[in-house]
Amino acid sequence: MGSMAVVLAVAVAALLGAGLWVLVRRAIRGSQVTLVPVPASASGDRDHAPVYRSEVRASLTALLIGVSATVLTWQVGIWWPQGYGLPYALAASVGALAGLITYNLHRRTLWDSPPGERTHAELTPRGPASFARQWVFALPLATALTLILGLVLTGLYSSTDENGLHRIYQRRGLSGWGIEDGLVVDVQYNLSSTGPFPGWYYGVPVMISTVLLIIVVYWSLRRIAAAARPTSPGLFHVDTTLRSLRTVFVMATSSAALAFQVAGLLAVTGNVLRVSHLDAVPTADTFATANTVPVEPGHTLALIAILSSLAVAVAAVILLIKALTVVADLWSAERTARASNHGPER
């Protein structure tokens, strides 16, 4: 029975991982953008390398602030044991919020236009979803909804600890037995508690931070869409590509943060269910250690959650790497534009 449960858990986790890989791959393919810098000779002898350079600085600063905020929040969990690990649960959201706010507020260099050039208006409306395919936006939204739904479910199944905090999981299980004339008698059952469990104590703050992250992402996309166009129509196509890269960066980083939180939720929930769904087998041998047997379906669900957390964590790493490739593309475009304007670097 135990081997069948493991096989079933591996199969389900593999299917979930395959489905997740299809979604991530499709989202990444839908966000592939190549930035071709405009040389000075083709745009009125103006140097546009500072535009790309400012984008590189904004992206790197956002990543640095985001990672620093995540590490600092994690350290708060070490310094504050009375929080029972709540800062750990919020670390990814805090880092993503700090990074995206920094990304939005970072000062950028505007497109430089020749003096006296006539301004051309663009009549095509621009919105938050104008600079990427729908898959790019569907992935983080689905991840956020999955996280919130999972936290609601774990909150409903959580129980209060000795401090009245909803952070443990309780289940009726075998607690002891008696031995009389070499036979097992008086088998006793009781409620057993296992934690920490992602109940309301952890779930409510994480859900609030997730909603805040969704708001900040929408704000970021609005700012990208509402930014002024360059005055020269010849720069419209490269400006659109630059906005697409910024959109991909925002969606990749936010999706990575949400995926890390989903992976943590699955790992913690799976570990609690695995520990709590093991019952001792009554034995009449007082010198022998009692064997344990898995209690289904909780034990299989625990294995599925643990294995699935690994797949989600891998997807989060891939999305974070995608954000880094955006920075690399911007840096390459800046070097190309600088070389075309000032000659090759020595």
Side-chain angles (χ1 to χ4, degrees):
M1 183 66 180
S3 60
M4 288 295 296
V6 172
V7 171
L8 177 61
V10 171
V12 174
L15 290 175
L16 291 176
L20 183 62
W21 168 245
V22 171
L23 293 177
V24 172
R25 185 179 181 184
R26 186 162 185 177
I28 290 178
R29 280 188 170 182
S31 63
Q32 288 179 345
V33 180
T34 302
L35 180 59
V36 179
V38 179
S41 59
S43 56
D45 294 328
R46 314 302 293 180
D47 182 8
H48 299 298
V51 176
Y52 309 127
R53 189 181 305 119
S54 68
E55 286 296 333
V56 172
R57 290 174 178 172
S59 303
L60 290 178
T61 303
L63 288 174
L64 179 61
I65 294 297
V67 172
S68 300
T70 301
V71 173
L72 182 60
T73 307
W74 193 272
Q75 287 296 321
V76 171
I78 299 176
W79 301 332
W80 183 41
Q82 295 81 6
Y84 302 107
L86 179 59
Y88 300 146
L90 294 172
S93 288
V94 171
L97 288 170
L100 288 179
I101 291 175
T102 301
Y103 187 70
N104 285 319
L105 299 181
H106 194 281
R107 186 175 180 181
R108 288 174 168 80
T109 302
L110 301 179
W111 293 107
D112 196 4
S113 301
E117 183 175 11
R118 181 178 300 176
T119 301
H120 297 264
E122 184 186 35
L123 301 180
T124 304
R126 303 192 302 267
S130 298
F131 297 98
R133 297 181 182 179
Q134 296 304 314
W135 275 101
V136 179
F137 306 103
L139 183 62
L141 182 60
T143 307
L145 294 177
T146 300
L147 177 61
I148 293 175
L149 178 60
L151 290 170
V152 170
L153 291 176
T154 55
L156 293 174
Y157 281 94
S158 65
S159 300
T160 56
D161 60 5
E162 65 276 6
N163 298 316
L165 304 176
H166 281 265
R167 52 180 297 273
I168 63 172
Y169 177 80
Q170 288 187 332
R171 190 188 70 86
R172 182 177 180 271
L174 184 63
S175 61
W177 60 88
I179 302 174
E180 183 177 325
D181 297 331
L183 299 175
V184 175
V185 296
D186 193 21
V187 178
Q188 301 170 4
Y189 289 87
N190 202 350
L191 287 177
S192 61
S193 299
T194 310
F197 185 71
W200 297 121
Y201 174 71
Y202 304 100
V204 172
V206 173
M207 283 189 284
I208 293 175
S209 65
T210 301
V211 172
L212 289 176
L213 182 57
I214 294 174
I215 294 174
V216 171
V217 168
Y218 182 78
W219 174 51
S220 303
L221 298 177
R222 289 276 297 180
R223 284 177 59 87
I224 293 172
R229 279 287 203 189
T231 57
S232 174
L235 292 174
F236 280 6
H237 69 285
V238 72
D239 177 67
T240 297
T241 305
L242 190 61
R243 292 172 194 257
S244 299
L245 286 173
R246 294 180 62 186
T247 300
V248 171
F249 181 83
V250 169
M251 303 313 293
T253 51
S254 59
S255 298
L258 290 169
F260 275 123
Q261 287 194 303
V262 172
L265 171 68
L266 289 171
V268 172
T269 303
N271 184 62
V272 170
L273 292 178
R274 181 187 61 82
V275 173
S276 61
H277 285 82
L278 288 174
D279 272 354
V281 179
T283 175
D285 188 351
T286 56
F287 298 100
T289 302
N291 294 323
T292 58
V293 293
V295 180
E296 301 297 349
H299 190 262
T300 300
L301 292 175
L303 296 178
I304 292 174
I306 293 173
L307 294 175
S308 298
S309 69
L310 299 176
V312 176
V314 171
V317 173
I318 294 174
L319 290 168
L320 189 58
I321 293 175
K322 178 62 180 178
L324 293 175
T325 61
V326 171
V327 180
D329 290 341
L330 291 169
W331 182 67
S332 176
E334 187 269 335
R335 286 174 58 89
T336 302
R338 185 170 51 184
S340 64
N341 293 328
H342 304 292
E345 295 181 348
R346 296 185 181 272

